[in-house]
Short mmCIF file of all heavy atoms in Angstrom, two decimals:
data_model
loop_
_atom_site.label_atom_id
_atom_site.label_comp_id
_atom_site.label_asym_id
_atom_site.label_seq_id
_atom_site.Cartn_x
_atom_site.Cartn_y
_atom_site.Cartn_z
N GLN A 911 3.63 -84.97 -0.03
CA GLN A 911 2.99 -85.82 0.91
C GLN A 911 1.41 -85.60 0.89
O GLN A 911 1.00 -84.51 0.56
CB GLN A 911 3.53 -85.62 2.34
CG GLN A 911 4.92 -86.07 2.57
CD GLN A 911 5.37 -85.98 4.01
OE1 GLN A 911 4.95 -85.15 4.72
NE2 GLN A 911 6.31 -86.78 4.37
N ARG A 912 0.70 -86.59 1.32
CA ARG A 912 -0.70 -86.48 1.43
C ARG A 912 -1.02 -85.56 2.60
O ARG A 912 -0.39 -85.54 3.65
CB ARG A 912 -1.33 -87.89 1.69
CG ARG A 912 -2.81 -87.90 1.51
CD ARG A 912 -3.31 -89.35 1.60
NE ARG A 912 -2.83 -90.20 0.50
CZ ARG A 912 -3.22 -91.40 0.23
NH1 ARG A 912 -4.13 -91.94 1.02
NH2 ARG A 912 -2.74 -92.09 -0.80
N GLU A 913 -1.99 -84.64 2.31
CA GLU A 913 -2.33 -83.64 3.30
C GLU A 913 -3.86 -83.56 3.52
O GLU A 913 -4.63 -83.86 2.64
CB GLU A 913 -1.80 -82.26 2.86
CG GLU A 913 -2.48 -81.75 1.65
CD GLU A 913 -1.95 -80.30 1.23
OE1 GLU A 913 -1.12 -79.73 2.05
OE2 GLU A 913 -2.55 -79.73 0.25
N LEU A 914 -4.21 -83.10 4.78
CA LEU A 914 -5.59 -82.92 5.16
C LEU A 914 -6.15 -81.74 4.37
O LEU A 914 -5.50 -80.65 4.25
CB LEU A 914 -5.64 -82.62 6.63
CG LEU A 914 -7.05 -82.19 7.18
CD1 LEU A 914 -7.97 -83.39 7.14
CD2 LEU A 914 -6.87 -81.66 8.57
N VAL A 915 -7.38 -81.99 3.88
CA VAL A 915 -8.07 -80.91 3.28
C VAL A 915 -9.28 -80.37 4.19
O VAL A 915 -9.34 -79.18 4.54
CB VAL A 915 -8.69 -81.23 1.90
CG1 VAL A 915 -9.51 -80.12 1.33
CG2 VAL A 915 -7.55 -81.65 0.98
N ALA A 916 -10.10 -81.27 4.64
CA ALA A 916 -11.24 -80.93 5.46
C ALA A 916 -11.70 -82.11 6.18
O ALA A 916 -11.63 -83.29 5.68
CB ALA A 916 -12.32 -80.24 4.71
N THR A 917 -12.26 -81.95 7.36
CA THR A 917 -12.95 -83.07 8.07
C THR A 917 -14.32 -82.64 8.56
O THR A 917 -14.61 -81.35 8.75
CB THR A 917 -12.10 -83.46 9.26
OG1 THR A 917 -11.88 -82.42 10.18
CG2 THR A 917 -10.74 -84.08 8.88
N ILE A 918 -15.16 -83.58 8.87
CA ILE A 918 -16.44 -83.29 9.43
C ILE A 918 -16.78 -84.41 10.45
O ILE A 918 -16.49 -85.60 10.26
CB ILE A 918 -17.52 -83.21 8.36
CG1 ILE A 918 -18.86 -82.77 8.94
CG2 ILE A 918 -17.59 -84.56 7.57
CD1 ILE A 918 -19.82 -82.32 7.85
N THR A 919 -17.34 -83.98 11.66
CA THR A 919 -17.67 -84.92 12.66
C THR A 919 -19.08 -85.38 12.43
O THR A 919 -19.88 -84.93 11.59
CB THR A 919 -17.56 -84.37 14.03
OG1 THR A 919 -18.56 -83.36 14.20
CG2 THR A 919 -16.16 -83.67 14.29
N SER A 920 -19.47 -86.32 13.24
CA SER A 920 -20.85 -86.86 13.14
C SER A 920 -21.88 -85.84 13.55
O SER A 920 -23.05 -85.83 13.11
CB SER A 920 -21.07 -88.06 14.15
OG SER A 920 -20.74 -87.70 15.50
N ARG A 921 -21.47 -84.79 14.30
CA ARG A 921 -22.35 -83.69 14.64
C ARG A 921 -22.32 -82.58 13.68
O ARG A 921 -23.03 -81.58 13.85
CB ARG A 921 -21.97 -83.16 16.09
CG ARG A 921 -22.17 -84.24 17.14
CD ARG A 921 -21.95 -83.66 18.54
NE ARG A 921 -22.26 -84.59 19.62
CZ ARG A 921 -22.21 -84.31 20.91
NH1 ARG A 921 -22.04 -83.08 21.34
NH2 ARG A 921 -22.61 -85.21 21.75
N GLY A 922 -21.48 -82.71 12.72
CA GLY A 922 -21.42 -81.62 11.64
C GLY A 922 -20.31 -80.56 11.81
O GLY A 922 -20.27 -79.66 11.08
N SER A 923 -19.53 -80.75 12.87
CA SER A 923 -18.44 -79.77 13.05
C SER A 923 -17.35 -79.99 12.02
O SER A 923 -17.08 -81.14 11.61
CB SER A 923 -17.80 -79.99 14.50
OG SER A 923 -18.75 -79.74 15.47
N THR A 924 -16.93 -78.95 11.49
CA THR A 924 -15.98 -78.99 10.38
C THR A 924 -14.64 -78.34 10.66
O THR A 924 -14.48 -77.55 11.54
CB THR A 924 -16.52 -78.29 9.13
OG1 THR A 924 -16.83 -76.92 9.40
CG2 THR A 924 -17.79 -78.97 8.65
N ASN A 925 -13.62 -78.77 9.92
CA ASN A 925 -12.27 -78.31 10.10
C ASN A 925 -11.65 -78.25 8.77
O ASN A 925 -11.85 -79.18 7.94
CB ASN A 925 -11.44 -79.19 11.02
CG ASN A 925 -10.02 -78.73 11.20
OD1 ASN A 925 -9.84 -77.58 11.63
ND2 ASN A 925 -9.03 -79.48 10.93
N TYR A 926 -10.90 -77.16 8.49
CA TYR A 926 -10.31 -76.99 7.13
C TYR A 926 -8.76 -76.65 7.22
O TYR A 926 -8.37 -76.01 8.15
CB TYR A 926 -10.97 -75.86 6.38
CG TYR A 926 -12.45 -76.09 6.08
CD1 TYR A 926 -13.42 -75.67 6.94
CD2 TYR A 926 -12.82 -76.70 4.94
CE1 TYR A 926 -14.82 -75.95 6.69
CE2 TYR A 926 -14.15 -76.98 4.60
CZ TYR A 926 -15.11 -76.50 5.56
OH TYR A 926 -16.48 -76.79 5.27
N ALA A 927 -8.09 -77.07 6.21
CA ALA A 927 -6.68 -76.63 6.06
C ALA A 927 -6.73 -75.15 5.78
O ALA A 927 -7.67 -74.65 5.10
CB ALA A 927 -6.02 -77.36 4.90
N ASP A 928 -5.71 -74.35 6.22
CA ASP A 928 -5.72 -72.98 6.01
C ASP A 928 -5.72 -72.64 4.53
O ASP A 928 -6.36 -71.66 4.11
CB ASP A 928 -4.39 -72.38 6.65
CG ASP A 928 -4.47 -72.32 8.18
OD1 ASP A 928 -5.59 -72.47 8.68
OD2 ASP A 928 -3.44 -72.17 8.80
N SER A 929 -5.07 -73.46 3.74
CA SER A 929 -5.02 -73.22 2.26
C SER A 929 -6.29 -73.25 1.55
O SER A 929 -6.40 -72.75 0.41
CB SER A 929 -4.05 -74.21 1.66
OG SER A 929 -4.47 -75.52 1.79
N VAL A 930 -7.36 -73.85 2.16
CA VAL A 930 -8.63 -74.02 1.44
C VAL A 930 -9.80 -73.23 2.20
O VAL A 930 -10.93 -73.24 1.66
CB VAL A 930 -9.06 -75.38 1.24
CG1 VAL A 930 -7.90 -76.21 0.55
CG2 VAL A 930 -9.44 -76.16 2.55
N LYS A 931 -9.53 -72.67 3.33
CA LYS A 931 -10.57 -71.97 4.11
C LYS A 931 -11.15 -70.83 3.23
O LYS A 931 -10.44 -70.09 2.66
CB LYS A 931 -9.97 -71.41 5.42
CG LYS A 931 -9.77 -72.45 6.48
CD LYS A 931 -9.24 -71.77 7.75
CE LYS A 931 -9.09 -72.80 8.87
NZ LYS A 931 -8.40 -72.20 10.12
N GLY A 932 -12.45 -70.86 3.33
CA GLY A 932 -13.14 -69.76 2.60
C GLY A 932 -13.43 -70.19 1.12
O GLY A 932 -14.22 -69.48 0.41
N ARG A 933 -12.80 -71.20 0.61
CA ARG A 933 -12.97 -71.70 -0.80
C ARG A 933 -13.72 -73.07 -0.80
O ARG A 933 -14.43 -73.27 -1.78
CB ARG A 933 -11.67 -71.69 -1.51
CG ARG A 933 -10.98 -70.32 -1.53
CD ARG A 933 -9.73 -70.52 -2.43
NE ARG A 933 -8.70 -71.49 -1.90
CZ ARG A 933 -8.26 -72.47 -2.67
NH1 ARG A 933 -8.78 -72.72 -3.95
NH2 ARG A 933 -7.39 -73.32 -2.19
N PHE A 934 -13.34 -73.94 0.10
CA PHE A 934 -13.95 -75.29 0.03
C PHE A 934 -14.94 -75.47 1.20
O PHE A 934 -14.80 -74.85 2.28
CB PHE A 934 -12.84 -76.29 0.24
CG PHE A 934 -11.82 -76.44 -0.87
CD1 PHE A 934 -11.84 -75.54 -1.90
CD2 PHE A 934 -10.90 -77.50 -0.87
CE1 PHE A 934 -10.95 -75.68 -2.97
CE2 PHE A 934 -10.02 -77.59 -1.96
CZ PHE A 934 -9.99 -76.74 -2.99
N THR A 935 -15.93 -76.31 0.95
CA THR A 935 -16.87 -76.55 1.89
C THR A 935 -17.19 -78.11 1.95
O THR A 935 -17.46 -78.63 0.99
CB THR A 935 -18.24 -75.90 1.67
OG1 THR A 935 -18.02 -74.45 1.57
CG2 THR A 935 -19.24 -76.20 2.75
N ILE A 936 -17.01 -78.71 3.10
CA ILE A 936 -17.27 -80.10 3.32
C ILE A 936 -18.70 -80.29 3.93
O ILE A 936 -19.10 -79.50 4.81
CB ILE A 936 -16.30 -80.76 4.30
CG1 ILE A 936 -16.39 -82.29 4.31
CG2 ILE A 936 -16.24 -80.13 5.67
CD1 ILE A 936 -15.26 -83.01 5.01
N SER A 937 -19.41 -81.29 3.35
CA SER A 937 -20.76 -81.53 3.95
C SER A 937 -21.10 -82.99 3.74
O SER A 937 -20.34 -83.74 2.97
CB SER A 937 -21.77 -80.61 3.18
OG SER A 937 -21.78 -80.88 1.81
N ARG A 938 -22.18 -83.36 4.33
CA ARG A 938 -22.58 -84.81 4.18
C ARG A 938 -24.12 -84.86 4.15
O ARG A 938 -24.79 -84.03 4.68
CB ARG A 938 -22.00 -85.58 5.44
CG ARG A 938 -22.52 -85.30 6.78
CD ARG A 938 -21.68 -85.67 7.86
NE ARG A 938 -21.31 -87.11 7.81
CZ ARG A 938 -20.39 -87.63 8.64
NH1 ARG A 938 -19.79 -86.86 9.53
NH2 ARG A 938 -20.07 -88.93 8.49
N ASP A 939 -24.56 -85.91 3.44
CA ASP A 939 -26.00 -86.25 3.37
C ASP A 939 -26.16 -87.62 3.99
O ASP A 939 -25.80 -88.57 3.32
CB ASP A 939 -26.36 -86.10 1.84
CG ASP A 939 -27.93 -86.38 1.70
OD1 ASP A 939 -28.56 -87.07 2.59
OD2 ASP A 939 -28.47 -85.83 0.79
N GLY A 940 -26.63 -87.69 5.11
CA GLY A 940 -26.84 -88.95 5.86
C GLY A 940 -27.78 -89.85 5.13
O GLY A 940 -27.59 -91.10 5.07
N ALA A 941 -28.86 -89.33 4.52
CA ALA A 941 -29.82 -90.16 3.89
C ALA A 941 -29.23 -90.92 2.66
O ALA A 941 -29.57 -92.00 2.24
CB ALA A 941 -31.01 -89.25 3.44
N LYS A 942 -28.26 -90.19 1.99
CA LYS A 942 -27.62 -90.71 0.80
C LYS A 942 -26.31 -91.46 1.19
O LYS A 942 -25.61 -92.00 0.31
CB LYS A 942 -27.37 -89.65 -0.23
CG LYS A 942 -28.63 -89.10 -0.78
CD LYS A 942 -28.34 -88.06 -1.88
CE LYS A 942 -29.61 -87.51 -2.46
NZ LYS A 942 -29.34 -86.45 -3.52
N ASN A 943 -25.89 -91.34 2.46
CA ASN A 943 -24.66 -91.88 2.91
C ASN A 943 -23.46 -91.49 2.02
O ASN A 943 -22.66 -92.15 1.63
CB ASN A 943 -24.71 -93.55 2.80
CG ASN A 943 -24.12 -94.09 3.99
OD1 ASN A 943 -24.01 -93.58 5.09
ND2 ASN A 943 -23.80 -95.45 3.94
N THR A 944 -23.47 -90.10 1.84
CA THR A 944 -22.49 -89.52 0.93
C THR A 944 -21.91 -88.30 1.51
O THR A 944 -22.50 -87.47 2.13
CB THR A 944 -23.17 -89.10 -0.43
OG1 THR A 944 -23.80 -90.23 -1.02
CG2 THR A 944 -22.25 -88.45 -1.40
N LEU A 945 -20.64 -88.12 1.26
CA LEU A 945 -19.80 -87.00 1.65
C LEU A 945 -19.44 -86.14 0.48
O LEU A 945 -19.35 -86.66 -0.60
CB LEU A 945 -18.50 -87.49 2.33
CG LEU A 945 -17.55 -86.44 2.85
CD1 LEU A 945 -18.06 -85.76 4.15
CD2 LEU A 945 -16.20 -87.02 3.04
N TYR A 946 -19.47 -84.81 0.67
CA TYR A 946 -19.16 -83.92 -0.50
C TYR A 946 -18.09 -82.93 -0.06
O TYR A 946 -17.77 -82.69 1.06
CB TYR A 946 -20.50 -83.08 -0.75
CG TYR A 946 -21.65 -83.84 -1.10
CD1 TYR A 946 -22.62 -84.11 -0.18
CD2 TYR A 946 -21.85 -84.30 -2.39
CE1 TYR A 946 -23.77 -84.81 -0.53
CE2 TYR A 946 -22.93 -85.14 -2.74
CZ TYR A 946 -23.94 -85.40 -1.80
OH TYR A 946 -25.01 -86.06 -2.15
N LEU A 947 -17.42 -82.42 -1.19
CA LEU A 947 -16.48 -81.34 -1.07
C LEU A 947 -16.74 -80.42 -2.21
O LEU A 947 -16.51 -80.66 -3.34
CB LEU A 947 -15.07 -81.83 -1.07
CG LEU A 947 -13.96 -80.77 -0.84
CD1 LEU A 947 -14.06 -80.30 0.64
CD2 LEU A 947 -12.59 -81.26 -1.16
N GLN A 948 -17.37 -79.25 -1.84
CA GLN A 948 -17.57 -78.17 -2.80
C GLN A 948 -16.28 -77.29 -2.89
O GLN A 948 -15.85 -76.72 -1.80
CB GLN A 948 -18.76 -77.35 -2.36
CG GLN A 948 -19.04 -76.20 -3.32
CD GLN A 948 -19.42 -76.57 -4.73
OE1 GLN A 948 -20.32 -77.53 -4.91
NE2 GLN A 948 -18.89 -76.02 -5.73
#
């Protein structure tokens, strides 16, 4: 099934699945209207 990896709010608060914590980083660039997942 499809599963959550990470989320980010408009204020920049983040949430991660336990399986990716410490390895993945979600971020966003408002000027570029782009979301990232490192």
